[in-house]
Amino acid sequence: MNYRKLGRTGLRVSEVSLGTMAFGRWIDEKASAAVLDRALDAGINLIDTADVYGRGMDVGDPSLTGESEAIIGRVLKGRRDQVVLATKFHARVGTGVNDAGQSRYHLYRAIDRSLQRLQTDHIDLYQVHGFDAETPLDETLRGLDDLVRQGKIRYIGCSNYAAWQIAKAHGISAVHGLHRFESVQPEYSLIARGIERELAPFARSEQVGVIVYSPLGRGILTGKYRPDEAPPEGSRLAAGEKRLQQLLQANPAYALVEALKPLALRRSLTTAQLALAWVLSHPHITSAIIGASRPEHITDALQFADHRLSDEELQQIDEVSRSAGLFF
Ligand SMILES: NC(=O)c1ccc[n+]([C@@H]2O[C@H](COP(=O)([O-])OP(=O)(O)OC[C@H]3O[C@@H](n4cnc5c(N)ncnc54)[C@H](OP(=O)(O)O)[C@@H]3O)[C@@H](O)[C@H]2O)c1
């Protein structure tokens, strides 16, 4: 496993990290423990979760959120110090009027609930899960800064932010002498390349770590979904993941996956391994968060993760992406 520096900080994180959105949502505690164990054995040290992850995301019941954090807390017992633990707050986690967003009121409750579920006294990377246009950024940044000074958080980051939103936040942090967002967590894969235009160059220029999610396009780039065929049993599509349904409707990317197959075969890879190697071949990426519902997904993903694609291969992939209408 290779480790990269998180932006300008001194912290080193594995270039492949483990996402735990499946824990307690699509897979039970026993299956989650097997995934987490395999990830740690493979040298993954960055574990990403969120207070909202859990069954509640599918059934629209905020009281069923937090299961991912609770499982991690139990499974990591005795091994907490082996990992860089990252979680997030912002999404609705209760029915109360203040059970969402980034007010100081919600922030202080959210961190304590996450710490309790994760059975730890600090979060290594605490991320805002999206931009909150309703709360002044200085309220959120001051609250986060207080929590760093109290020792409850080591670093702060943001997710799903545009470059201008981070720039605005950095400006406020600089003016008031507050800790700044050291990382951003956007979506990035062969079917979601939006960050290449502005966010990635911005992050490089400002030395912000880029931890990307869904590098396999939520499973689409594994080729497991076929037009006019029922989704494989046990898959997230079969379980009804709404975002995945929307993605497949907007652009099923079947043509891209087919076009990637010969390129993958030339290296004796699966399309999923090629898709992950493609993400990691970009210098603007700090870490790719893979999702896994079985330990084998981790083993498969890591088989080629240490390798880089050549410039020629990257160009060929751009060409097939262009012909599939996924790159301009
Ligand atoms: N910040 C945000 O807003 C945000 C949003 C989304 C995700 N995330 C984070 O990013 C993490 C990863 O996201 P993701 O799960 O969408 O990532 P992903 O790596 O693109 O997709 C993972 C899915 O691909 C399938 N898969 C992986 N390896 C496979 C293999 N060898 N063979 C067949 N199928 C395979 C599995 O689907 P099945 O389980 O269906 O088999 C797995 O659940 C999340 O857990 C979460 O921590 C953050």
Side-chain angles (χ1 to χ4, degrees), residues 17-23 25-27 47-50 53 57 68 86 88 127-130 158-160 185-189 211-225 232-239 241 243-244 270 272-273 276 288-294 296-301:
S17 35
L18 177 68
T20 60
M21 190 167 65
F23 289 17
R25 183 177 177 193
W26 303 305
I27 59 172
I47 310 295
D48 181 72
T49 185
Y53 293 169
M57 292 178 84
S68 171
K88 320 181 194 80
Q127 305 155 106
V128 295
H129 210 151
C158 55
S159 178
N160 301 311
Q185 187 182 126
E187 183 166 4
Y188 188 53
S189 74
I211 302 170
V212 299
Y213 66 80
S214 300
L216 309 181
R218 298 180 189 247
I220 293 174
L221 291 163
T222 66
K224 72 201 300 173
Y225 301 119
E233 212 174 301
S235 66
R236 281 154 58 165
L237 191 58
E241 187 188 5
R243 181 78 185 108
L244 181 51
T270 62
Q273 288 166 333
L276 182 62
I289 317 176
I290 55 168
S293 52
R294 301 166 187 215
E296 304 86 82
H297 292 167
I298 310 250
T299 312
D300 279 0

Side-chain angles (χ1 to χ4, degrees), residues 78-91:
R79 297 181 291 177
R80 165 66 182 92
D81 289 340
Q82 288 179 30
V83 302
V84 174
L85 198 48
T87 190
K88 320 181 194 80
F89 81 104
H90 169 80

Side-chain angles (χ1 to χ4, degrees), residues 22-202:
F23 289 17
R25 183 177 177 193
W26 303 305
I27 59 172
D28 64 16
E29 182 151 346
K30 193 167 166 229
S32 305
V35 167
L36 195 56
D37 288 348
R38 183 70 61 92
L40 296 192
D41 287 349
I44 289 178
N45 78 341
L46 176 58
I47 310 295
D48 181 72
T49 185
D51 60 355
V52 72
Y53 293 169
R55 272 176 303 145
M57 292 178 84
D58 296 312
V59 296
D61 180 351
S63 69
L64 295 176
T65 57
E67 287 156 307
S68 171
E69 286 186 335
I71 289 175
I72 294 170
R74 288 191 289 270
V75 173
L76 260 189
K77 238 182 200 159
R79 297 181 291 177
R80 165 66 182 92
D81 289 340
Q82 288 179 30
V83 302
V84 174
L85 198 48
T87 190
K88 320 181 194 80
F89 81 104
H90 169 80
R92 178 154 291 285
V93 287
T95 49
V97 67
N98 285 308
D99 286 339
Q102 290 165 36
S103 65
R104 185 183 287 105
Y105 179 95
H106 179 55
L107 165 61
Y108 274 37
R109 293 209 304 186
I111 184 84
D112 284 342
R113 288 172 181 169
S114 285
L115 290 173
Q116 201 175 23
R117 281 189 293 259
L118 287 162
Q119 303 192 34
T120 182
D121 62 359
H122 70 279
I123 304 295
D124 298 304
L125 177 63
Y126 200 46
Q127 305 155 106
V128 295
H129 210 151
F131 187 71
D132 181 356
E134 306 281 314
T135 307
L137 257 172
D138 63 304
E139 177 176 336
T140 306
L141 288 165
R142 276 185 195 281
L144 289 167
D145 187 75
D146 287 344
L147 294 173
V148 175
R149 290 173 204 275
Q150 287 170 25
K152 290 186 177 180
I153 302 174
R154 299 291 183 259
Y155 299 95
I156 62 172
C158 55
S159 178
N160 301 311
Y161 259 47
W164 72 264
Q165 292 165 337
I166 308 179
K168 181 175 174 181
H170 278 185
I172 293 169
S173 294
V175 166
H176 298 292
L178 307 172
H179 288 91
R180 67 166 216 174
F181 290 137
E182 301 293 359
S183 65
V184 61
Q185 187 182 126
E187 183 166 4
Y188 188 53
S189 74
L190 276 163
I191 59 171
R193 298 182 62 167
I195 68 167
E196 289 176 8
R197 282 169 194 250
E198 196 156 344
L199 186 63
F202 167 83

